[in-house]
Amino acid sequence: MSVKTLKIDGIDIAIEEGATVLDAARQAGVPIPTLCHLDGVGDIGACRLCLVEVGGSRRLLPACVTEVAEGMEVQTNTPKLQEYRRMTVELLFSEGNHVCAVCVANGHCELQDVAIQVGMDHSRFTYRFPDRGVDVSHEQFGIDHNRCILCTRCVRVCDEIEGAHVWDVAQRGAACYIVSGLNQPWGEVDACTSCGKCVDACPTGAIFRKGSTTGEKERDRAKLDFLVTAREKHEWTR
Amino acid sequence: MAKTVVIDPVTRIEGHAKISIYLDDAGTVEDARFHVVEYRGFEKFCEGRPFTEMAGITARICGICPVSHLLAAAKTGDKILAVKVPPAAEKLRRLMNLGQITQSHALSFFHLSSPDFLLGWDSDPAKRNVFGLIASDPDLARAGIRLRQFGQTVIELLGARKIHAAWTVPGGVRSPLSEEGRQWIRDRLPESFETVNLAIGLFKNLIDNQLQDEVKVFGSFPSLFMGLVGKNGEWEHYDGHLRFTDSQGDIVADHLSEDDYPKFLGEAVEKWSYLKFPYYKPLGYPDGIYRVGPLARLNVCNQIGTEAADRELQEFRDRAGGVPTSSFFYHYARLIEIVAALEQIQILMDDPDIVSSRVRATGGVNQLEGIGVSEAPRGTLFHHYQVDENGLIRKVNLIIATGHNNLAMNQTITQIAKQYVHGPEIAEGMLNRVEAGIRCYDPCLSCSTHAAGQMPLHIQIVGSDGKLVNEVYRN
Ligand code: SF4
Ligand code: FES
């Protein structure tokens, strides 16, 4: 396997071909905020939080889906990027109905973490207050579309790890939302194995265990890591 | 020409309000009204949410007594799950409510009301507050602040935060008390007892001397009283059944279940206030006037059930020469309830259950409707939810303590205005007395209008021709 050498924020890095800029940055200890990326499942570049500047390219590129190339020069933290990231997070907040004070994920939420990371203290955009629903028809779990940021981690974890493919995205643009089955109530979807991986994958409080109250959602990310290692390396240790 | 005095906003209460005083042609007070000018719409935006979130959402109604909503919401949730909560959970919930009663009553007495008693009604309004109290009696002020802190810490030790701790859940609570927490509470109890005893001594002396008139005119009228009592008619704050008594001390209705509240409680609406007017249905509106809260709880119970509090209760009744019916006694009742709360906390500290980890029963949606009740520091609190098959809220009704007292608060300010207001001139001390009439009830307007808005005092004096003749604003 050939190795590529590149510079991220001035740091020299050597990494195998086919790795992403995000992989390379993590290896070099350079933090890049992410939301839709989840270790172990494929990347789709949905959230645009991981945007970086690459020398020679006029466009900003998402680190999670951009492959490393020989001699690449990457900047991860320019004032322009900082501004874009903050704006992205503000837009996420104003797009849905995120009421942290009463959310099951309060204090354990990646959207909150990212907001802190990018220094967002308020949203400069008008809140849309969309009219979205809550589906608690499943015996054990519920999905609150008000808190969904459409990262599709649930879609991918269910498809790629569990192999059940319960989740999909319906509609387009601002009307997009996550559906279970063929847009059935979750409780009526036979394909669901009630494994709970989507609960652990969801970065916000959108998918939760029923009965959880404010701040009670603590996800077991180690479980997903375990499954991924088991599949990829055939090692069953936790 | 008849006139109206309006006090707007009313200060040192929790929320925003306006008072109108109506004068007749001779310039004497005819009527006074307490308008709640807040509107918040909580009941509406709960619709469509999972019922398990109700404790978290309704606790946000109020930063002073969130615990009351946590408890009422959890108890309503218990009913929807149709489970009995583990004994340890019940004791822990009780402990939190006792902490709440202590902190809220201490706030009402030391921070909000005592400046009037100790500094005088006509003293400089700029100094007639807790800072004035700190300047004139720093030891008392400090003790009062620490007593409130004690109650707050009890709540924090259980819920991991002082306000809005989402610790009660349908089926029980999230976690028990830690051993360190228990030790902290034990260590601080003696000081807390000392403070409340000091305050009681002080207050008794005041009502026997300087404040005799206030007892007579600050809401001294017959009415019913409503509150929870225990199995043997003892003082209760968390469970038990509802009882109504009258001003003679006779039981009017007993063994009422919260589930039947629509049968015995009506809710009238007046166009000049956002606050509803509940009344006791069998007597109709407005004759079915009743009071809730500390005074009512002490009037409906046979005894408190702990030694020092029972001694104080007896003295309280003796001092009033029968059933204490003056709303000025609310202050006195609050102090006695702090004694009761501290004694009960002391008992709970020796109970092995409070550190048990068996604290949460689970279940699905087994009932589509639930009504929960608890005694908030200010009085009886009802939560009533209807849910769909999956537990999403369809309908919510909340009846809040300040609402129950609405009729009584209006009667109280009318009585005070009649005594102290003569003609369209508005003297500052007079306004303060009218406000203090409201403050007897320690009303919480954020809670009571849970149902959006603004509470600094606005008083208007209105003439008989309906024209405004004088008004004062105070922010
Ligand atoms: S439900 Fe959660 S995991 Fe799924 S798309 Fe929405 S935010 Fe992402
Ligand atoms: S993490 Fe790269 S686009 Fe979301």
Side-chain angles (χ1 to χ4, degrees):
Chain A
M1 188 190 300
S2 77
V3 164
K4 304 280 178 201
T5 56
L6 66 156
K7 264 191 175 26
I8 299 183
D9 294 345
I11 304 171
D12 287 311
I13 300 163
I15 194 163
E16 75 264 24
E17 183 178 10
T20 63
V21 173
L22 183 64
D23 295 333
R26 293 213 165 149
Q27 186 181 306
V30 176
I32 301 179
T34 58
L35 264 177
C36 69
H37 170 82
L38 181 66
D39 286 340
V41 296
D43 280 303
I44 49 148
C47 73
R48 312 314 266 187
L49 232 103
C50 65
L51 289 180
V52 291
E53 290 185 41
V54 176
S57 163
R58 284 175 45 224
R59 289 187 304 131
L60 300 175
L61 298 172
C64 66
V65 290
T66 304
E67 274 185 33
V68 292
E70 187 55 40
M72 219 179 199
E73 299 224 1
V74 179
Q75 292 296 330
T76 71
N77 207 17
T78 61
K80 180 173 164 189
L81 287 170
Q82 288 169 4
E83 175 57 23
Y84 272 117
R85 280 185 194 135
R86 205 187 126 171
M87 206 190 292
T88 306
V89 179
E90 286 172 30
L91 284 165
L92 284 173
F93 272 97
S94 51
E95 186 185 32
N97 298 310
H98 298 277
V99 188
C100 301
V102 297
C103 179
V104 291
N106 193 9
H108 314 282
C109 171
E110 291 180 46
L111 183 60
Q112 276 180 335
D113 295 346
V114 155
I116 294 165
Q117 212 178 342
V118 303
M120 169 190 159
D121 47 14
H122 70 288
S123 173
R124 289 164 289 183
F125 305 103
T126 322
Y127 287 86
R128 281 178 63 230
F129 299 117
D131 191 5
R132 295 181 181 173
V134 182
D135 179 357
V136 281
S137 59
H138 191 282
E139 179 85 31
Q140 296 172 44
F141 315 119
I143 176 165
D144 182 345
H145 295 280
N146 294 289
R147 302 174 183 148
C148 175
I149 55 168
L150 292 166
C151 66
T152 71
R153 282 188 189 184
C154 53
V155 178
R156 287 171 285 146
V157 83
C158 185
D159 176 47
E160 298 173 30
I161 301 188
E162 181 62 8
H165 200 122
V166 167
W167 301 103
D168 265 304
V169 185
Q171 304 283 4
R172 289 168 173 268
C176 265
Y177 65 102
I178 295 289
V179 290
S180 40
L182 287 171
N183 203 4
Q184 294 153 278
W186 188 359
E188 290 170 23
V189 180
D190 290 337
C192 177
T193 61
S194 303
C195 71
K197 290 190 187 64
C198 53
V199 183
D200 286 333
C202 180
T204 67
I207 301 185
F208 55 89
R209 265 167 224 287
K210 271 169 74 173
S212 314
T213 56
T214 315
E216 251 192 320
K217 177 178 173 178
E218 284 185 67
R219 41 183 95 61
D220 189 0
R221 222 14 90 55
K223 193 158 95 196
L224 292 180
D225 290 346
F226 164 76
L227 289 172
V228 172
T229 331
R231 270 173 11 137
E232 291 174 357
K233 302 196 181 133
H234 300 279
E235 284 170 13
W236 282 265
T237 46
R238 250 190 117 157
Chain B
M1 191 186 69
K3 323 220 151 74
T4 305
V5 184
V6 180
I7 308 186
D8 184 8
V10 180
T11 56
R12 280 179 285 141
I13 64 172
E14 290 135 10
H16 301 254
K18 184 174 108 164
I19 291 168
S20 300
I21 300 170
Y22 298 89
L23 305 182
D24 64 13
D25 290 337
T28 48
V29 175
E30 217 170 56
D31 195 10
R33 281 175 185 172
F34 176 59
H35 313 257
V36 174
V37 290
E38 287 188 291
Y39 179 78
R40 300 175 72 202
F42 260 87
E43 282 154 338
K44 201 72 208 156
F45 63 67
C46 293
E47 287 172 16
R49 303 303 312 168
F51 77 97
T52 45
E53 279 182 11
M54 287 302 287
I57 298 176
T58 55
R60 297 281 159 172
I61 290 175
C62 184
I64 310 288
C65 59
V67 171
S68 322
H69 291 288
L70 286 176
L71 289 172
K75 287 184 75 187
T76 316
D78 300 344
K79 292 228 181 118
I80 290 173
L81 299 178
V83 296
K84 191 165 164 26
V85 308
E90 177 181 331
K91 288 175 189 163
L92 287 158
R93 284 182 182 178
R94 281 180 178 276
L95 178 58
M96 191 180 253
N97 205 27
L98 294 166
Q100 157 89 343
I101 289 170
T102 305
Q103 73 87 6
S104 176
H105 285 359
L107 175 75
S108 168
F109 186 81
F110 291 96
H111 302 60
L112 304 179
S113 292
S114 70
D116 292 328
F117 317 147
L118 300 170
L119 306 176
W121 302 105
D122 305 297
S123 61
D124 178 1
K127 295 199 187 105
R128 203 175 49 214
N129 51 37
V130 74
F131 301 106
L133 184 67
I134 292 170
S136 84
D137 193 341
D139 289 340
L140 180 72
R142 192 177 308 115
I145 291 169
R146 280 180 63 86
L147 181 61
R148 171 159 197 241
Q149 184 208 33
F150 170 78
Q152 293 276 64
T153 310
V154 170
I155 298 170
E156 193 180 2
L157 287 168
L158 291 166
R161 53 198 292 189
K162 287 192 195 71
I163 46 171
H164 307 314
W167 167 81
T168 64
V169 292
V173 300
R174 287 195 194 173
S175 51
L177 183 68
S178 65
E179 269 308 337
E180 303 80 72
R182 165 142 77 174
Q183 199 49 47
W184 187 92
I185 296 173
R186 276 197 177 126
D187 292 348
R188 272 288 280 268
L189 270 166
E191 178 193 327
S192 304
F193 274 116
E194 220 171 275
T195 303
V196 68
N197 288 334
L198 175 78
I200 288 196
L202 209 82
F203 193 74
K204 284 181 199 162
N205 183 29
L206 285 166
I207 49 175
D208 290 347
N209 298 293
Q210 297 97 300
L211 297 177
Q212 284 181 33
D213 286 351
E214 283 73 6
V215 173
K216 282 183 213 123
V217 292
F218 278 54
S220 180
F221 50 81
S223 77
L224 298 178
F225 297 95
M226 180 184 82
L228 285 174
V229 292
K231 244 196 241 106
N232 305 311
E234 71 277 18
W235 182 78
E236 188 41 88
H237 61 97
Y238 169 78
D239 214 359
H241 61 265
L242 288 155
R243 175 186 276 181
F244 280 88
T245 59
D246 64 18
S247 307
Q248 278 72 50
D250 295 329
I251 295 175
V252 174
D254 205 1
H255 303 288
L256 299 171
S257 159
E258 65 273 16
D259 295 337
D260 299 321
Y261 86 86
K263 290 199 193 122
F264 55 86
L265 293 185
E267 286 189 283
V269 177
E270 296 281 1
K271 61 178 185 304
W272 44 271
S273 181
Y274 280 121
L275 187 55
K276 289 187 229 166
F277 292 82
Y279 59 96
Y280 178 61
K281 254 192 188 161
L283 294 186
Y285 180 78
D287 293 342
I289 175 175
Y290 61 94
R291 283 177 271 188
V292 299
L295 178 67
R297 286 191 289 257
L298 293 193
N299 282 346
V300 297
C301 74
N302 304 350
Q303 75 281 336
I304 292 181
T306 48
E307 210 185 306
D310 270 327
R311 226 178 16 245
E312 290 296 343
L313 179 65
Q314 194 51 49
E315 201 183 324
F316 175 63
R317 290 176 174 168
D318 291 347
R319 198 173 244 102
V323 177
T325 56
S326 167
S327 290
F328 200 69
F329 283 135
Y330 268 99
H331 299 296
Y332 193 175
R334 257 175 224 120
L335 295 171
I336 298 173
E337 284 201 324
I338 298 182
V339 177
L342 295 176
E343 285 185 302
Q344 296 206 354
I345 292 176
Q346 192 162 39
I347 294 168
L348 282 171
M349 286 308 106
D350 296 327
D351 192 313
D353 273 350
I354 56 165
V355 288
S356 154
S357 54
R358 237 167 275 121
V359 293
R360 189 170 182 173
T362 53
V365 177
N366 295 309
Q367 262 179 138
L368 299 184
E369 189 163 358
I371 299 173
V373 66
S374 79
E375 284 289 338
R378 292 157 186 82
T380 321
L381 169 65
F382 292 90
H383 278 205
H384 181 185
Y385 314 151
Q386 284 164 9
V387 297
D388 70 10
E389 297 293 326
N390 297 318
L392 293 184
I393 295 280
R394 281 212 164 116
K395 205 164 177 284
V396 174
N397 190 28
L398 310 173
I399 309 184
I400 309 284
T402 302
H404 297 293
N405 282 336
N406 203 1
L407 279 169
M409 287 193 290
N410 276 283
Q411 197 153 327
T412 301
I413 56 164
T414 306
Q415 192 176 32
I416 297 170
K418 282 191 167 148
Q419 179 83 10
Y420 295 104
V421 178
H422 306 285
E425 289 322 308
I426 306 175
E428 210 287 325
M430 174 285 280
L431 291 189
N432 190 36
R433 286 184 175 88
V434 175
E435 276 186 84
I438 297 290
R439 229 178 281 129
C440 289
Y441 300 88
D442 190 21
C444 181
L445 306 184
S446 2
C447 278
S448 46
T449 58
H450 60 87
Q454 153 210 20
M455 176 152 188
L457 182 70
H458 178 190
I459 300 200
Q460 290 185 317
I461 303 207
V462 181
S464 61
D465 52 2
K467 282 213 186 87
L468 188 67
V469 291
N470 201 352
E471 65 182 328
V472 264
Y473 285 91
R474 214 164 51 194
N475 279 299

